[in-house]
Amino acid sequence: MATAAELDDCRRVAEEAARLGGRELLRRFGDHGRVDYKTAPTDLVSEADRASETRIVELLRARRPGDGILAEEGSDHVGDSGLRWVLDPLDGTVNYVSGIPLWCVSVACEQQTPDGWRPVVGVVHDPVHDETFCGVRGSGAALNGTPLTRRAGVTLGEVVLAAGYAYDVAHRRVQAAVVTDLAGDVRGVRMLGSTALALAWIAAGRCDAYVEDRTFRWDWAAGQVIAVEAGVAVEVSGSRVLAAPPELIDGLRPRVAALG
């Protein structure tokens, strides 16, 4: 098991890596270069994504050469330390290429356990607003160094629900039906376009719950640590992510069962 000192070192490295990638993205914002499609016309990857990932991976290999790497754009590396980095060099690419200032860099460190990989450090960096959300398993969460605690005592009628939609356009109809069912019972519904940022915002009390499926590990790994350390319940079931105040999650779970 990683020691507290090692986790703290990983936190510092994660923050440095996320900010490095963020600077590359901010420099290119508005001039992102070529855009390609991956699984669907809604699933974009830009030159900026790749440039950010390259910079981050270079730093991680230099600072933590024994660790593994799992990256969205394919810069994978098998390590031997029992730790690996899971990163999304640009979460919110559609927002980014559209000029919408809601996107981030997500960097998580996971520890290998008998039950599989477990996220233990998470950093979500929003370069546009100069906000760095950080969480370390068992040590709390913070925004720019200020401790985070979820908004307490929220009833379902007070919930601001964030939702995400799949790249698969046909599956969006299923997701939309779930969100429509919930919309009449909550205060509001928002779509941020970034899983990592949504989870970080819940930790900061800007939203209260989040639901999405068809996600990948790099979408939620860092945000999960931050949200959990702020007192939010986060459940990952297959590709579905459900985050909510602990007192509400049991009631929400059956209502999102159609997802994943």
Side-chain angles (χ1 to χ4, degrees), residues 123-134:
V123 170
V124 172
H125 177 57
D126 174 354
V128 173
H129 302 98
D130 193 24
E131 292 189 328
T132 303
F133 303 83
C134 177

Side-chain angles (χ1 to χ4, degrees), residues 177-199:
V178 170
V179 174
T180 297
D181 174 64
L182 289 168
D185 296 328
V186 298
R187 176 170 287 169
V189 178
R190 301 290 184 268
M191 181 177 174
L192 302 182
S194 165
T195 298
L197 205 55
L199 291 169

